[in-house]
């Protein structure tokens, strides 16, 4: 609008961009500052970016772990997708919306998804701890399971703990490098996120069985309990905190330098 075009920095930005010269880093920084000044709120709000903060900053070292599914795992996911897609289309629904949560739960933790399907239970609000997506693609309550999916479920013996994703997680946890600042702890503290409570509860059971000291916290955990859990985590009474985004809101984890995103959000803007 006119506020922007009348601002003295507007002409400066246009001149710099139309100079025809290669923009060096100082000029790019100058243009960014002037563009920020063009906001009508620039005189009311201040924003400090990480790049503007002096001093050493924590270095993030992201690591992607590929998880190759077994034939049975792949067959279950594909059959689940095809079966639910056919059901949604038969009802005149939109698969992209209505399948989102069942498929996200399956991608999060196949054994948890299988257990839900064996119980003929859909993915509902009670099982999700996600700010943005809890109202999309819910298949709540008791659901009908198609015969073709029943055949796959019959092949899956939950007692055999078939889960290549968990196997990769356990291998990564067992090979974490030691950290000097945590020399007084038995193991490096780890924060693990998932959107789904069945996934968190499944991981709690599996990790404890494999000798890990684990804590669990999600959205319905009372605040007093959260404070106690955080106190014990800081004190090293357990080494892995399984947590949802909602459950961790407003808490300080600066002492924990390993973060595991067990589920990736389907919205890429949140990565």
């Amino acid at each position: 609008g006119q506020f922007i075009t009348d601002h003295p920095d507007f002409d400066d930005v246009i001149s710099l961009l139309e100079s025809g010269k290669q923009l060096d880093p100082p000029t790019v920084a100058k243009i960014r500052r002037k563009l920020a000044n063009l906001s009508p709120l620039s005189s009311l709000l201040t924003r400090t970016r990480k790049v503007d903060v002096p001093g050493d900053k924590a270095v993030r070292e992201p690591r992607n772990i590929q998880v190759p599914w077994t034939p049975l795992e792949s067959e279950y996911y594909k059959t689940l997708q095809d079966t639910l897609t056919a059901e949604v289309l038969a009802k005149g629904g939109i698969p992209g919306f209505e399948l989102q949560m069942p498929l996200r739960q399956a991608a999060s933790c196949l054994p948890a998804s299988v257990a839900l399907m064996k119980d003929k239970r859909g993915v509902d609000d009670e099982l999700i701890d996600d700010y943005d997506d809890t109202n999309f693609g819910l298949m709540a309550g008791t659901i009908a399971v198609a015969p073709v999916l029943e055949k796959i479920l019959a092949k899956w013996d939950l007692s055999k703990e078939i889960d290549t994703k968990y196997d990769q997680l356990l291998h990564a946890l067992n090979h974490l490098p030691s950290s000097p600042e945590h020399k007084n702890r038995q193991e490096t503290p780890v924060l693990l996120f998932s959107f789904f409570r069945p996934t968190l509860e499944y991981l709690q059971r599996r990790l404890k069985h494999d000798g890990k000291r684990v804590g669990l916290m999600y959205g319905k955990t009372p605040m007093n309990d959260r404070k106690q859990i955080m106190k014990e985590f800081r004190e090293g009474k357990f080494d892995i905190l399984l947590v949802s985004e909602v459950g961790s809101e407003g808490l300080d984890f600066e002492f924990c330098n390993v973060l595991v995103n067990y589920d990736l959000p389907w919205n890429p803007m949140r990565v």
Side-chain angles (χ1 to χ4, degrees), residues 33-46:
R33 286 195 300 271
K34 289 183 175 293
L35 287 174
N37 291 337
L38 295 179
S39 169
L41 298 178
S42 62
S43 61
L44 303 176
L45 300 175
T46 59

Side-chain angles (χ1 to χ4, degrees), residues 72-165:
L72 178 59
E73 289 174 314
S74 298
E75 183 183 17
Y76 169 75
Y77 186 89
K78 184 66 166 60
T79 304
L80 177 68
Q81 183 179 34
D82 292 346
T83 302
L84 296 182
T85 298
E87 291 180 1
V88 170
L89 290 174
K91 297 175 182 178
I94 304 174
F97 282 103
E98 298 192 42
L99 298 189
Q100 184 181 137
M101 283 306 167
L103 294 184
R104 283 182 63 182
Q105 172 63 86
S108 170
C109 180
L110 285 174
S113 173
V114 170
L116 288 173
M117 288 297 160
K118 281 179 176 284
D119 291 340
K120 296 181 172 56
R121 183 180 180 186
V123 180
D124 53 40
D125 281 322
E126 291 298 313
L127 305 179
I128 306 169
D129 256 14
D130 184 355
Y131 278 121
D132 292 344
D133 301 319
T134 54
N135 294 320
F136 294 99
L138 299 180
M139 301 186 73
T142 303
I143 62 174
V145 178
V148 64
L149 187 56
E150 288 277 15
K151 292 181 180 180
I152 304 300
L153 292 172
K155 296 181 183 180
W156 199 301
D157 184 353
L158 289 171
S159 66
K160 294 183 178 180
E161 307 287 17
I162 302 169
D163 190 355
T164 52
K165 186 175 181 180

Side-chain angles (χ1 to χ4, degrees), residues 71 184 235 248:
N184 294 325
E235 293 173 350
S248 64

